[in-house]
Amino acid sequence: MTSIGVAELSTGQRVRLAVRDGRFNGSTAGVAAGYVQANVTIMPAAYAEDFRAFCVANPKPCPVLAVGERGSPGLPTLGRDIDVRTDVSPYLVFEHGVEVAQVSNLMSLWSGDLVAFALGCSFSFDHMLVAAGVPVRHVARHSNVAMWRTTIETTPIGPFHGPLVVSMRPIKQRDLERAVRITERLPTAHGAPMHWGNPASLGIADLSRPDYGDPMPLEHEELPVFWACGVTAQVAVEHARIPFAMTHSPGCMLVTDLKIGALAL
């Protein structure tokens, strides 16, 4: 976070404007309570249909919120003024599956051949958990959520494949049923948790060393509760080794104008 407080980031548009003019970057956990946040993946149009099919085949980690028109940086169904070239910070740039740069905007990298995807994000429901009396520590600490690559494989489509990524929230046993009940109504934000308890069942050896984000130690009577995570899409892009792609940095999301309640089942 830069020179602006969370209280000033009360809507999706305010967050986007702050990102555009350099007043805010980094993790969007805890900002714009009630607004839908999204993972962003951008790639050449030649790969877009396979990637869309990959997301459809793997809806838990990769729920599609919107797909841009070829060459357009807008996602009008998520916000009239959204510009995916400027409204996330930082972005990651990949060439043949290798991260080659981290940039604050995509203005110099954009072309008329690119297609942008917005995928659901669990940050969207964090405030619903808090409002229901389920503490969310990364929100309270203004930090990023902890994320890991698992040993569970996604369903491959075309060149896109790779392991499922999960995020983890420490939750007390007494709050678990409430957390499941709230999040299961939000499949476009990854829905209910896919696992809780022993992380070894997911191939996670050390909870103190996440692959992405910030460590979140367990406290007394807490369970590690794991949700599918949209960083799965980034990992699939890496494994696909397509010539060029761009994504948000894990935890640094596109904040939209949609309200999370509109997506609840």
Side-chain angles (χ1 to χ4, degrees), residues 151-169:
T151 52
I152 299 171
E153 288 296 315
T154 55
T155 300
I157 298 289
F160 299 101
H161 66 284
L164 174 75
V165 176
V166 294
S167 64
M168 188 277 286
R169 290 158 179 78

Side-chain angles (χ1 to χ4, degrees), residues 118-147:
L119 310 178
C121 173
S122 60
F123 283 177
S124 302
F125 61 61
D126 281 338
H127 288 282
M128 296 179 72
L129 294 176
V130 173
V134 180
V136 179
R137 193 168 304 131
H138 64 264
V139 171
R141 292 184 175 184
H142 307 298
S143 62
N144 205 346
V145 72
M147 296 162 273

